[in-house]
Amino acid sequence: MSKMSRLGQQLYDGSVSIDFVGRRVLWYSISAVIIAIALAGLLFKGLNLGIEFEGGTEYRVSMPSGQANQQNVEKIRDAVASSGIDAASSPVVNTSGDTNIRVQTEPLTNDQAAQLEQVIRETAGVKADDLSEQAIGATWGQQVADRALLGLGVFLVLVVLFIWAYFREWKMSVGGLVALFHDVIITVGVYALSGFEVTPATVTGVLTILGFSLYDTVVVFDKVRENTHNLARTRKTYREAANLAINQTLVRSINTSIVALLPVGALLYVGVFTLGSGALKDLALALFVGMAAGLYSSIFIATPLVVQLKEREPGVRAGDARAIRHHNAKQADRFADVPAFTEDMPVYDEPGSGARTAAPRGGVEPQVDDAEPAPPARPVRAPRSTAGERPASRAVSPSASAKRAQPQRKPRSQRGKR
Amino acid sequence: MAKKASRPGRRLIVFALLIAALYGGVAIGGVWKPKLGLDLQGGTRITLEASTATGDAITPEKLAEARDIIDQRVNGQGVAEAEVAVQGSRNIVVEIPGKTRKDLVDSVKQTAQLRFRLVAAMAPGRPSQQPSASPSPSASGASGSPSAKASGTGEKATAPSTAPSASPKGRAISGGLLAADQKKKNKGATATPAPSAAPSALPSAAPSANAPSQKGAPVDQPLQWMDNPGEEWLKKFAAFTCPEPGKPVPPVVDRKDQPLVTCDSAGMKYLLSASVIEGTQLTRAEAGIPQNEFTWVVDLSFNSEGRTTFADVTRQIANATSPLTGQQKQFAIVLDGTVISAPVVDQPIPNGQAVIRGDFSQTEAQTLANSLKYGALPLTFTVPVVSEEGPTLAADQLSAGLWAGAIGLLLVIIYCLFYYRGLGLVVVASLAVAGVITYGVVLAMSQAVNFTLTLPGIAGLIVGVGITADSFIVYFERIRDEMRDGKSMRVAVESGWVRARNTCLAADTVSLLAAVVLYIFAIGVVKGFAFALGISTVIDLAVFFMFTKPMVTWLARFPFFNTGHKMSGLSPEAIGIDRISGGRRPSVAGGKA
C-alpha cells in the first residue's frame, strides 16, 4: 500500500510520469486496433438481437434448483415442437442460470400463447406462478432503439454545450465526444463478439455509458484546465501540464474505476450466474465494458486529442515556445537552483517554508548526473495557489501555508535573470 | 482558518433535520415498503402503441383520453389497482400487478371504436329468456317474458320500451334524441309509438318485414336490413345471451360492415345493422344543461359527411315503427361492441346537431359524452409487448438484484476501508446515509409520483453507488494533493474542498443530464433505470455537500487525523511525503511547538 501511496505522490509532483500525451500515436493505434476488431465483429458476426427486436414469444420457467438441465430442456423442446402450433414448431429452448429454462418461439396469437403455456407447464410440472411469458412485436425493440437514438442525439448536443460552457473550450467538447464514440463502439463490438443478446436493457446500458464516460472525462479535463490555467507562471508547455494532469488524476481514475466496477461486476455476476438471462445481465455487461473503456478513453484518447488540438493555437504555441526557451535557459545553468552552501543552512528545508529551493525530499541529494543530460535538475514545482488566491507576480511567489505572498530572495546565480 | 467552514455541526444538524423531515413525510403516508414493479412482484404488463397507420397525429391530449378509456375498461373489469399510464409520445402502458391475467389482453388492446348502428331487434338478454330459436323475437316476446333476474332493466323492461331504461350504474341512458332546437321534453321513453305517426314513408323495400325472408335484405343497406335482417341473423340474436349484470361483456368482433349482436350494460341484447356512422364522423360530444332546462343532456355534432348520413337516417326512422318488432325505430351508439345508448328519433335532424336526453345525472351525462368523444378518437393501438411475470420468477429477480447490490456495496466498503483507512469510515458512513436517504426518497416517490421500483431501477441505484463513491475519491485525493503541497490537513480539507466541489458538480451535472434526457426520451425499461440513476446522482450531491464535507471538517479537528495517524489514511506514509505539516511533530521535536 505504501508503494502505491508513494507512487501517488510521485505521480503528483511529476517525478514519476507516464507520458500519456507524448505517446499518443501508440494509444491511438491501440484504440484503432480495438475499434477495428469491434467493427469487424459487428460486421461479420453481427449483433445477437434479442427477441425484442425480432418479435416472438418468450417463456421463462422457474425450475427447482438443479432441474434446469439439458434433459428437461429436451423434454420441453419436444413438447413445444409437437404442440401443433406452426409458429412454435422450431422453438429455441435453453437453460439460463441453474433454475431457469427459457423457451422462445415466433410470434403467437393470444390463444396459441395460452395453449403453449399449458403445454410447457404440464411438461415442466410447474405452477402458473413459476412461468413468465413475454409476447413481443417485432417493432418494440426498434421503437426502444429509436427513442434511445433520439435521446442520444439530444444528450450529445446538451453535453457538448455543457462542456463548452464549463471549460470555455469547444476543443474539450470534441475530445469528450470522440472518447464517447470510442467507448460506445467498443461496447457494441464486445456485444457482437461475445454473442450476448442485445435487448432494450442493453440499450439502456449503452446510454448509461455515455454519461459515465463523460463523467470520467470531465474529471480529467478539470484537472487539465487547472494545470494549464497559468502556464506562464508554471513555465510548462501545454503538453507537459496536461500530461501532469493525467498523472495526477491517475490514482483517482484507478480508484474510481475499481469502486464503480465492483458493484457492476456484482450485477454482472448475479445476472449471468443466478438469473441467467434478463435485464440485469444485459445491462451489466454493457456497463462493465463501457466503464472500463470510458476510463481508458478519458486518459488515452480524450486528453491527448485535446492537447493535439490546443497545440495548434497560436497563443498556446507561443506559450510553449516560451516555456521551452525557459527550459533551455535553465538547462544551460543547471545548478542554478541548487542553493549555495552557507553555515547555518538546515539539513533540509522545511517544505512550505517559502524557500525556493530544490531541497531534496527524503534526504536524497538531487541527482545531477553529468552523463545523463536529459533530466535537468528537477524543476521546482510551483506551489499551487489555493482557489481564490491571486497568482503572485514574479518577484514574490505565493506560499500556500502562509496564505499570502511572501517576499523572497533568489539565489545569487539567478538574480537579474528572469 | 475560514470561519465558515469551522461550523460543520450546523450543517450536519440541518441535514439530519432534512432526513427526519423526509421520513416524517413518509410516515404520514404510512407505507414502509416501496412499490415494486411487475418484474419484481409478478403481474401482467401490456404496452399499447398508438398506430400511425391511420395518418392521424398522435397528440398528448388524444393519448391522455385514450388512457382514460383504457383505464375505465381495465378497472371496470374488476381488476384492482391496475395502472394505466402514458409513456413516451405514443405508448400507453397497462400494468396489472399480482396474478397474471391473459384474459385482459384482448379487452385492453381492443381499439376504442364508436359506431352508430340501427337497431333491428332488442330483447332482455338474460338466460331466463328461453333460447327458443324463434326467428322473430318480437316486441311482445320480449315484454312477455318477465324480466326475472334482469334487475337492471327494472320495471320498464316489461313494457316494450323503446329505450333501454336506466341501468343500475346509470350509464348510457337514452331518453331520446331530439333536434337541438327543439325544446320539447322528449317522452320517447314511453311505449306505444304510433306507427301512423311515421310521416316519411318507409323505404319501399321494407314492407315485407313482418315475414322476414330467409336471406334478408343486403347487409350493406342498413335501413332496409333493419326491417329485414334475415333468418340467419335472427337465429344468432335469439341464441345470444348477455352475461350477468356487472360481469364484463365478452368481447365481440365489431366489424363496421357487418351486423352485430351485442348487449348494453343493463343486460339488454340488440341485433344491430352494419355501421351507418363512424365515431370519427362525430366532431363534438359534450354534456351540459341547456338554457331553461334542468336536466343534463349530451350534445352531439357531426362533420359534413356524418351530417348528411345522419339527416338521411333520422328522416327515415323518425317516429317510424319497425315492421319487425312493432317498436319505434331507434338506433344504437356502440362503443367497442357494447351498446352505450339506444335513442329513438323524434324528428329528422338535418343540421347534424343532436341532443340526447334522458334522466341523466351529471356524471352519467359526462360519462356518455366522454365515451362518445373517446369513441370519436381516431387512435388505434397495436400491442408490441405483453409480458407476464410469474410471481416466483419475480421474487427470484428481486432477491438477485438485492444480493448484487449488497455484494457490490460490501466490496466498495472493503476497498475504501483498505485504501483510505480512517477516511474510509467517512465513506462507509456517507454510503450508509445515502442508503437511508435513497430508501426514504424511493418511499416518498412511490407515494407522491407513483414511482415503482423495477429491476433496471435497482440496477440504476447500484450504479449510483459507484458514482457516489467517486465523489469521495475525488475529494480525498484532492486533500492528499493539497497535503503534498505542504498544507496541513485542516487547511487541505478546506482548500481541497473548493476544487473537488467544482469537479464533482461538473461531473455530476453530466451524469444528471444523461439521466434526465434518458428519462424524458426513453421508454420501457430504460425509463426506470434513468429515474433511479437520476435520484441517486442528486442524493450523491446532497450527501456530499451536507454530510461528507462537514464530517471531514469535523474529523480534521481530531489529532488522529490531523497529525496523520498511521490508520487515518492521511499518514505521511499513505500520502507519500515525509511529514505532515501543521500537525504536531513527531515526538522527537519535544513538546508542542
Side-chain angles (χ1 to χ4, degrees), chain A residues 208-268:
Chain A
T208 313
I209 297 168
L210 308 178
F212 202 85
S213 164
L214 281 165
Y215 179 101
D216 213 49
T217 309
V218 164
V219 172
V220 177
F221 280 180
D222 206 45
K223 187 73 186 172
V224 170
R225 178 173 72 160
E226 183 188 324
N227 281 10
T228 58
H229 188 60
N230 203 344
L231 281 178
R233 189 168 56 77
T234 52
R235 297 206 170 116
K236 283 198 180 74
T237 61
Y238 193 92
R239 177 187 293 210
E240 283 167 355
N243 199 49
L244 181 63
I246 304 179
N247 279 293
Q248 287 175 341
T249 49
L250 195 60
V251 172
R252 181 222 68 106
S253 295
I254 293 169
N255 280 352
T256 299
S257 312
I258 290 174
V259 165
L261 286 177
L262 285 178
V264 175
L267 273 186
L268 187 60

Side-chain angles (χ1 to χ4, degrees), chain B residues 229-299:
Chain B
E231 196 166 347
E232 182 196 350
W233 284 100
L234 287 172
K235 266 188 183 154
K236 276 190 192 173
F237 176 65
F240 190 80
T241 51
C242 289
E244 299 275 334
K247 286 276 178 63
V249 177
V252 285
V253 183
D254 183 8
R255 289 180 53 192
K256 74 171 182 183
D257 54 356
Q258 285 296 311
L260 182 69
V261 180
T262 187
C263 305
D264 65 7
S265 58
M268 293 292 282
K269 65 177 177 179
Y270 295 82
L271 177 60
L272 303 169
S273 75
S275 168
V276 284
I277 297 176
E278 291 290 292
T280 47
Q281 295 173 333
L282 191 70
T283 53
R284 198 177 59 89
E286 260 162 42
I289 304 177
Q291 276 187 322
N292 307 328
E293 290 190 32
F294 305 99
T295 49
W296 284 86
V297 299
V298 178
D299 283 293

Side-chain angles (χ1 to χ4, degrees), chain A residues 22-77:
Chain A
R23 276 187 246 157
R24 64 180 168 225
V25 179
L26 176 63
W27 315 131
Y28 289 175
S29 324
I30 291 175
S31 283
V33 170
I34 296 176
I35 287 178
I37 294 173
L39 287 179
L42 208 56
L43 215 62
F44 296 117
K45 198 153 180 274
L47 290 171
N48 175 16
L49 291 181
I51 196 170
E52 286 86 352
F53 291 91
E54 298 185 330
T57 304
E58 175 180 295
Y59 297 88
R60 278 186 298 121
V61 193
S62 172
M63 306 286 283
S65 186
Q67 287 295 298
N69 50 25
Q70 208 52 40
Q71 207 181 338
N72 278 326
V73 166
E74 298 287 343
K75 237 168 70 183
I76 292 177
R77 181 181 298 136

